[in-house]
Amino acid sequence: MKYAVDLEGTKIEAKPGIKGICPICKSKVHAKCGVYKEWHFAHDSNKDCDAWGEVETQWHIDWKNYFSKEYQEVIINKNNKMHRADVKLPNGLIIEFQNSPITLSEVIKRSSFYENIIWIVNCIPYLK
């Protein structure tokens, strides 16, 4: 995940040596700030608590970065289930970026949860 929160609940970005808190499960996360991948936070267990969390490609990260920090990785809590939306706009619209194969049933499940959603899907690798 690109963002964690600090002790005051403020969204923070990964920087070397920084620790944060996962906004979903409230467990400790640590910054991973290497040379080859985008800096991000990871759970100490290395397992994302959001069942919908996936390793993000640069394509995915680049799309999210078109939007302001406050709109990225917004936690949606519905019926005591929490998921991290890629982008949530002020009008409530959720934008999800998908760069890996996903089943139709999974699209339906996520769309039902978020309700007001559009999908941006990278189909180029599959058009051959």
Side-chain angles (χ1 to χ4, degrees), residues 52-110:
W52 296 347
E54 301 172 14
V55 175
E56 293 185 341
T57 63
Q58 194 61 49
W59 178 91
H60 195 119
I61 293 164
D62 290 346
W63 270 103
K64 284 192 336 188
N65 285 338
Y66 281 113
F67 298 88
S68 298
K69 173 181 172 178
E70 64 267 21
Y71 303 148
Q72 294 182 41
E73 294 188 5
V74 176
I75 306 306
I76 307 298
N77 186 343
K78 184 176 173 186
N79 300 323
N80 292 321
K81 291 183 180 178
M82 295 198 292
H83 293 288
R84 186 175 43 250
D86 287 335
V87 171
K88 181 180 179 190
L89 298 178
N91 65 3
L93 179 66
I94 302 292
I95 304 173
E96 280 292 298
F97 303 106
Q98 193 64 36
N99 191 40
S100 58
I102 186 171
T103 65
L104 178 58
S105 63
E106 191 64 25
V107 170
I108 291 168
K109 184 182 352 175
R110 295 181 191 190

Side-chain angles (χ1 to χ4, degrees), residues 7 40 42 72 89 93 117 128:
L7 293 174
H40 63 283
Q72 294 182 41
L89 298 178
L93 179 66
I117 183 173
K128 296 176 184 170

Side-chain angles (χ1 to χ4, degrees), residues 2 6 24 30 32 36 52 66 94 97 100 102 113 119 125:
K2 184 175 178 180
D6 62 18
I24 293 178
H30 60 277
K32 289 195 160 191
Y36 300 106
W52 296 347
Y66 281 113
I94 302 292
F97 303 106
S100 58
I102 186 171
F113 178 82
W119 290 83

